[in-house]
Amino acid sequence: MIYNRAYDTGRLLWELHLHHLALGTVDFTMEQYAAFYGEWHDYFGSYTWQKLGGGHRALGDAHAVIRRLEEMAAYPSPFDRMSEPAAV
């Protein structure tokens, strides 16, 4: 899973190149979370990216992405934030 596509993909591709590995399937969470959060930016014509809050360290960012995914999964529809979280 990747949060910031532009930065993280470039960094990931470089590391894969160094170790002679290939890029597999990647989930770009930042765009999904921006739409879920729902803050529209008229100038850019897209949803505003939200800060991850993981401290820009691998472990902290990984935990922060998991929290974002859990937050999105708690709602039955990402387009209906007013409804109650799904029952566990």
Side-chain angles (χ1 to χ4, degrees):
M1 84 190 97
I2 287 182
Y3 193 72
N4 183 335
R5 180 190 314 231
Y7 174 80
D8 292 341
T9 301
R11 184 71 188 161
L12 180 59
L13 289 173
W14 175 248
E15 292 296 327
L16 291 171
H17 167 75
L18 291 176
H19 299 283
H20 309 287
L21 299 170
L23 180 63
T25 303
V26 180
D27 179 19
F28 298 102
T29 309
M30 186 167 61
E31 288 92 350
Q32 294 170 357
Y33 187 73
F36 170 81
Y37 194 83
E39 185 178 310
W40 185 257
H41 196 291
D42 287 328
Y43 180 80
F44 292 109
S46 64
Y47 290 104
T48 302
W49 295 350
Q50 303 302 310
K51 291 185 178 187
L52 181 57
H56 296 292
R57 307 302 297 163
L59 184 59
D61 285 355
H63 285 288
V65 168
I66 290 169
R67 286 191 302 272
R68 297 288 187 260
L69 292 171
E70 289 172 340
E71 183 182 350
M72 291 187 288
Y75 289 87
S77 169
F79 302 104
D80 184 10
R81 295 198 61 221
M82 299 307 291
S83 64
E84 292 297 318
V88 178

